[in-house]
Amino acid sequence: MNDELEPHYHAILKGVGENPQREGLLDTPKRAAKAMQFLCHGYQQTLDEIVNGALFESDNDEMVIVRDIELYSLCEHHLLPFIGKAHVAYMPTGKVLGLSKVARIVDMYARRLQIQENLTRQIAEAIAEVTHAAGVAVVIEAKHMCMMMRGVQKQNSQMCTSVMLGAFRDSQNTRQEFLQLIRGH
């Protein structure tokens, strides 16, 4: 795939008025292609591969939260980064998910071209599918370079999205407990 991307980066360099033969840019198309493949490697992953059977029997039916999971994604509209953190919670029903798997699920979906609203929903639905939890909640807070570097150029803006499923949607108390716990750090 690197071979497919390199000529396009060469054309982009020419298109912005640069000389792709300039010493500092000679390997840029190759490096940019490799970087883009890494930034979008979530397309090569599946939920089954990520989870890899890491579901464990548990009597716990109380909220499990993994907060402040850093994430890096690319805006599908401008191919510019958005950077932030995800807070993920679920209420187990007999099985708990290996801790690192929650972060890996966030990464798998973040490493695709995205809008934050869809990313939030994809993570929530994946956690629900894997755990069969009584409820799932995901909140993402991120800064978008497409809004900071270009366009409106608002440096201190931050977007916050949430998806609440099951018990988190149905119970205001459960939702409030989650929101208080992620803010209380």
Side-chain angles (χ1 to χ4, degrees):
M1 180 146 90
N2 215 15
D3 293 340
E4 292 176 32
L5 295 175
E6 281 183 49
H8 298 286
Y9 281 106
H10 188 271
I12 289 170
L13 290 172
K14 285 181 77 169
V16 299
E18 258 296 355
N19 173 9
Q21 301 308 312
R22 184 166 63 80
E23 180 184 5
L25 296 176
L26 285 174
D27 290 329
T28 297
K30 182 183 297 186
R31 287 190 302 263
K34 191 174 180 179
M36 184 59 80
Q37 285 178 313
F38 177 78
L39 295 173
C40 293
H41 73 263
Y43 291 115
Q44 275 65 61
Q45 298 176 306
T46 68
L47 193 53
D48 286 340
E49 291 170 348
I50 294 294
V51 173
N52 194 26
L55 281 168
F56 307 102
E57 298 288 331
S58 175
D59 292 334
N60 181 36
D61 62 357
E62 296 293 326
M63 197 179 303
V64 174
I65 302 174
V66 184
R67 65 182 188 202
D68 296 327
I69 303 168
E70 67 266 11
L71 66 85
Y72 308 92
S73 193
L74 291 174
C75 161
E76 68 185 37
H77 299 138
H78 302 100
L79 300 183
L80 290 172
F82 64 93
I83 300 164
K85 57 187 173 180
H87 312 288
V88 178
Y90 67 98
M91 297 181 72
T93 56
K95 292 192 183 262
V96 292
L97 182 60
L99 177 62
S100 70
K101 303 307 182 184
V102 176
R104 290 181 192 280
I105 289 169
V106 170
D107 283 345
M108 179 181 77
Y109 289 107
R111 293 305 186 162
R112 299 175 182 187
L113 302 179
Q114 285 287 7
I115 62 172
Q116 185 174 326
E117 298 90 335
N118 291 347
L119 174 59
T120 310
R121 177 151 301 279
Q122 289 166 354
I123 293 166
E125 290 175 350
I127 297 291
E129 178 184 332
V130 167
T131 63
H132 303 287
V136 175
V138 177
V139 170
I140 295 179
E141 304 166 81
K143 291 184 173 261
H144 292 251
M145 295 303 123
C146 59
M147 190 167 168
M148 296 169 70
M149 294 176 66
R150 55 162 304 284
V152 72
Q153 297 181 42
K154 297 301 177 197
Q155 305 308 305
N156 297 309
S157 63
Q158 183 168 303
M159 183 175 186
C160 186
T161 52
S162 69
V163 171
M164 307 287 168
L165 304 176
F168 290 94
R169 178 180 283 274
D170 299 339
S171 168
Q172 183 176 359
N173 289 340
T174 302
R175 185 171 47 255
Q176 283 306 117
E177 179 184 352
F178 166 67
L179 294 172
Q180 286 175 337
L181 287 169
I182 66 171
R183 289 186 190 128
H185 60 286

